[in-house]
Amino acid sequence: MTIHCRAMARYTGRIDAELGLSDVVLIIKDDGAVVLHSMQAGVNPRNWMPSATEMDVIPGGLRFHHAKRGETLEVFIEQEYARIETEPSLAGDLVKLGAEREFGDLLAADVERIEKGMSLISREYRTPAGPVDLFCHDRQGNPTCIELKRVRVTLDAVWQCKRYLFHLQQMEEWQGTTPRGILVAPSLQKTAGSALVDEPHMSFVRIRYEDLEGARTRSALAKDP
Amino acid sequence: MTIHCRAMARYTGRIDAELGLSDVVLIIKDDGAVVLHSMQAGVNPRNWMPSATEMDVIPGGLRFHHAKRGETLEVFIEQEYARIETEPSLAGDLVKLGAEREFGDLLAADVERIEKGMSLISREYRTPAGPVDLFCHDRQGNPTCIELKRVRVTLDAVWQCKRYLFHLQQMEEWQGTTPRGILVAPSLQKTAGSALVDEPHMSFVRIRYEDLEGARTRSALAKDP
DNA sequence: TGCCTCAGTCGCCGT
DNA sequence: ACGGCGATTGAGGCA
């Protein structure tokens, strides 16, 4: 159900928030999620409630309550412009192509793209410091942790990769080798670059999703399959 | 303007996405932002476009294009249920109380709450390892990095704090001192706690927003000011 | 404008 | 349930 109205709203839960009188669209979804959008600006809603919220009618408006999470949203409706109920709402699938998952798939299938002689050992290789996106051997047989970022490599990612190397260095299995780290992304944050400078066994390789073999061609959206 | 309809949508830009035929609410905001919500589930929209998107009418639907960002959203409308235009849409202010900004403000004004004898030197103190939320001197004059988290301290936060200390130890200015780190939050993640155990100069202090002097009392929402 | 960090982040997938 | 992390993240602040 959606209600177009002039209303004010008050949220109490993880914070306290109050929305002054506004023209809004209030969307109450089938699963109990609630979204309140202003017509003014921005992609994000002004207020919302998570799934499984219960609705009650209160004097002057509606009250949404999520007991388990201790959150409440009250919407005081001054004037209602329209109310639309779409009963058996149809819901098609949403297919997404090009997110990091696929970026990883394509790179995993062609790790030599990252460096000549590289060979994939494991995907999401578990270490005490967290999962390594692509765990490889380089040409010389050195264990190599490859960290992928769809957008850019941040300082955090550099340190995370350093932690991977630190753990490999501790492991008996890799004694006598030189653990390496390679950060792969379309761009590199400045501070991350500085941090990489004095890491002899770590490097950055710039790869854009579009440059990968097969990018968006196996796509369900492709016009000529 | 909002359009309630049965439609399919196709987004091309940062990724490719296609939404199958669904009953949706299409919201076109005054600033050119576009949001397309299913009625089914979830707080997030199925598709959207950022502010400053331009709209065109195309056969069978609408096309939204953001040239500078190279993004396009096409909505093919099979059936239109309702269309609502609220011309001079009223937009009230949204006041939020209790977000990290305020948490930091309140703690900065009373750092002794964290530890007796603590004194604030700088807020958002910039280091190559990142900005320190609250940079302080402790009772003994040791430089102390205080990292605030509104919800909980994670393993990442512990490492971030370690980076700060590592950096201070390198600096000539702080030779002869013992740099310390204090993580402040309402709760501590288990793995983060383990990581703290063998860090003699780092600790966790549990502080909840509600416990702070002045929390939500200067509030516009307060019933008794 | 870019860069960086928070968000009432949400949502997914794993243990 | 907790944890870890990506997201077409979005949004704000500061250099």
Side-chain angles (χ1 to χ4, degrees), chain B residues 114-125:
Chain B
I114 299 167
E115 185 180 291
K116 206 70 192 165
M118 199 67 73
S119 68
L120 181 67
I121 299 174
S122 163
R123 193 94 185 266
E124 302 294 331
Y125 174 65

Side-chain angles (χ1 to χ4, degrees), chain B residues 42-44 68 96 99-100 131 150:
Chain B
V43 169
N44 287 349
K68 187 159 179 55
K96 294 188 180 185
E100 182 184 291
R150 202 184 61 86

Side-chain angles (χ1 to χ4, degrees), chain A residues 95-116:
Chain A
V95 181
K96 295 187 181 187
L97 292 165
E100 182 184 292
R101 165 77 62 152
E102 198 192 359
F103 189 48
D105 288 347
L106 294 174
L107 265 180
D110 183 21
V111 289
E112 295 222 21
R113 176 65 194 246
I114 298 167
E115 185 180 289
K116 205 71 192 164

